[in-house]
Amino acid sequence: MTTGREPHKDDVRCSEALAEIFLLLDRECSPERDAQLRKHIEDCPPCLEEYGIDEQLKQLLHRKCGGDTAPDEFKQKLRASIYQTVERRGDVTIERTEVRLEQNAE
């Protein structure tokens, strides 16, 4: 959306917002990023429309497939694929934190 002002370094581009919509819908963004994306979406009618469509799609899928649970391995592969797509299409960097728990056999 063009506002007639100079872009601020914290402004979100449409391509970023659209690439991260599902991260936003799944609440997988940091609180700061969530606020940035929501502000952009509220101020940008095309992005707001896309957000609404994606939100409705997610709700429909939940209603139709809500009782089924995917195996954890599938979820991990899907999440990795989504992150790669977001990084590639949105020209953004996603911060990742990895935690490993190991149990010592005594």
Side-chain angles (χ1 to χ4, degrees), residues 19-87:
E20 296 182 59
I21 280 180
F22 281 102
L23 295 176
L24 183 63
L25 285 169
D26 292 338
R27 293 180 169 79
E28 293 186 6
C29 299
S30 69
E32 297 81 20
R33 188 61 175 166
D34 184 283
Q36 291 172 336
L37 292 169
R38 288 187 189 281
K39 175 160 181 16
H40 174 85
I41 288 169
E42 289 171 4
D43 294 342
C44 179
C47 288
L48 180 61
E49 181 179 359
E50 183 65 32
Y51 177 83
I53 291 169
D54 291 343
E55 184 176 38
Q56 289 177 3
L57 175 63
K58 184 176 168 92
Q59 289 173 1
L60 175 65
L61 288 172
H62 180 71
R63 278 196 312 272
K64 298 298 181 185
C65 307
D68 299 333
T69 18
D72 287 337
E73 183 179 337
F74 174 76
K75 290 179 190 177
Q76 290 170 350
K77 287 180 181 179
L78 183 59
R79 185 172 286 116
S81 175
I82 290 170
Y83 282 134
Q84 288 173 354
T85 301
V86 167
E87 287 176 329

